[in-house]
Amino acid sequence: MEPRSAAAMGQEFPYTRKTLCYIEISENGTVTHGTDAGTYERARSGKSRLFAVWPGEWASHLFVIDDLDEYARAHGLVHDPERTGLADHEHTARWELDPSEKKPMGSYITIRVHLDCGCSIRDLDAFAKQMRDQQGWDIATTGGWGGSSTAGTYMRARRKSLTS
């Protein structure tokens, strides 16, 4: 039985789902698991093949990762403005303390971010990486976040890293 094609599912394939298990099989038969930039480069160069096990309710399904570009975009290895909502440029951003913040002097605070450059935040990990690189912000990516275009996007950030 051949594995199913991840490419056939397009963007519907859950490349970043926490329960997905990646399996890499190198050209010499070594089997490893996990995912990183090295995994992508080895698969891209033909030195290994990449598979994923997607657990279902009653059975798990094996997929071959046959669209490595989509895999790279999903994992942030290649920037994808459509998926992230973020252009690859220096963002014009401003922030304010969220009205719900109970400890404004804490190490991490809840802030509202407004992007005046026209971007929208659809991927917190991608936004956190860009803002760390561009402005030195330390944004928590493990907590809740959300918002609206008029009220801004709320998220947790290290108070000391914010300059505005």
Side-chain angles (χ1 to χ4, degrees):
M1 183 167 130
E2 286 294 310
R4 295 168 65 182
S5 166
M9 292 186 69
Q11 286 191 0
E12 298 300 313
F13 187 79
Y15 288 97
T16 58
R17 183 172 280 180
K18 302 281 187 227
T19 57
L20 202 66
C21 177
Y22 283 100
I23 300 165
E24 181 182 5
I25 302 176
S26 71
E27 58 191 356
N28 70 5
T30 303
V31 177
T32 58
H33 67 87
T35 179
D36 59 20
T39 303
Y40 168 67
E41 290 302 327
R42 287 185 299 275
R44 200 168 138 240
S45 69
K47 293 182 179 175
S48 68
R49 288 190 69 199
L50 190 58
F51 299 88
V53 177
W54 183 3
E57 186 175 352
W58 306 109
S60 294
H61 303 279
L62 180 64
F63 287 82
V64 61
I65 304 303
D66 48 355
D67 185 343
L68 292 169
D69 293 333
E70 189 64 33
Y71 166 87
R73 285 190 294 272
H75 284 280
L77 300 171
V78 174
H79 183 67
D80 182 2
E82 184 180 323
R83 186 185 306 270
T84 64
L86 304 165
D88 195 12
H89 65 210
E90 186 88 15
H91 296 294
T92 307
R94 55 191 164 85
W95 67 273
E96 62 193 4
L97 194 64
D98 188 84
S100 70
E101 179 57 60
K102 303 286 190 246
K103 297 181 181 179
M105 298 308 290
S107 294
Y108 275 84
I109 56 174
T110 303
I111 60 171
R112 292 258 172 197
V113 174
H114 303 272
L115 294 177
D116 296 328
C117 58
C119 291
S120 61
I121 304 167
R122 293 188 206 128
D123 182 325
L124 185 61
D125 290 328
F127 178 70
K129 181 182 183 314
Q130 285 184 341
M131 294 308 287
R132 184 180 322 106
D133 294 344
Q134 293 175 13
Q135 297 189 23
W137 290 12
D138 184 8
I139 297 171
T141 57
T142 56
W145 68 286
S148 69
S149 58
T150 55
T153 304
Y154 67 85
M155 62 192 68
R156 304 281 293 164
R158 184 177 297 275
R159 187 170 51 86
K160 286 184 166 184
S161 73
L162 295 170
T163 56
S164 173

